[in-house]
Amino acid sequence: CLWPFALKYSNLVHSHTPLLQEQFQGKTPLELFTGVEVRPNPNSFHPFGCPVYVLPNELANGQAYDKWLPRARKGIYLGQSPSHA
């Protein structure tokens, strides 16, 4: 059941996409709501459901890791993490 993740990601993309109507002057819904200029980088958005590779915690933290063990696990991109930058 990936629908909640898809809707959350769709909302994130929509709120960071500039509006084309003249009255909004190319501002994003997030800028209109907060009053702060936010220019997102479109390169940070990836297709929902595309394959991703996740590092084990030992590698991500710089700890020793057996060189014969797999370096990454394959996963599915479900959107940006709320707890990481």
Side-chain angles (χ1 to χ4, degrees), residues 23-79:
Q23 65 215 32
F24 298 123
Q25 302 166 350
K27 293 186 177 182
T28 65
L30 187 62
E31 290 174 327
L32 294 172
F33 180 73
T34 61
V36 177
E37 185 175 337
V38 178
R39 287 292 157 190
N41 182 2
N43 294 332
S44 66
F45 293 114
H46 302 286
F48 183 81
C50 69
V52 295
Y53 295 92
V54 183
L55 287 177
N57 288 336
E58 294 84 15
L59 272 177
N61 295 334
Q63 298 172 355
Y65 195 71
D66 187 17
K67 69 179 184 178
W68 297 110
L69 291 176
R71 297 273 176 184
R73 294 177 296 152
K74 192 172 182 180
I76 299 173
Y77 183 72
L78 298 177

Side-chain angles (χ1 to χ4, degrees), residues 3-17 28-30 45 48 78-80:
W3 282 108
F5 296 104
L7 290 174
K8 190 175 184 180
Y9 189 64
S10 172
N11 185 31
L12 176 76
V13 171
H14 174 71
S15 65
H16 285 83
T17 304
T28 65
L30 187 62
F45 293 114
F48 183 81
L78 298 177
Q80 296 178 340

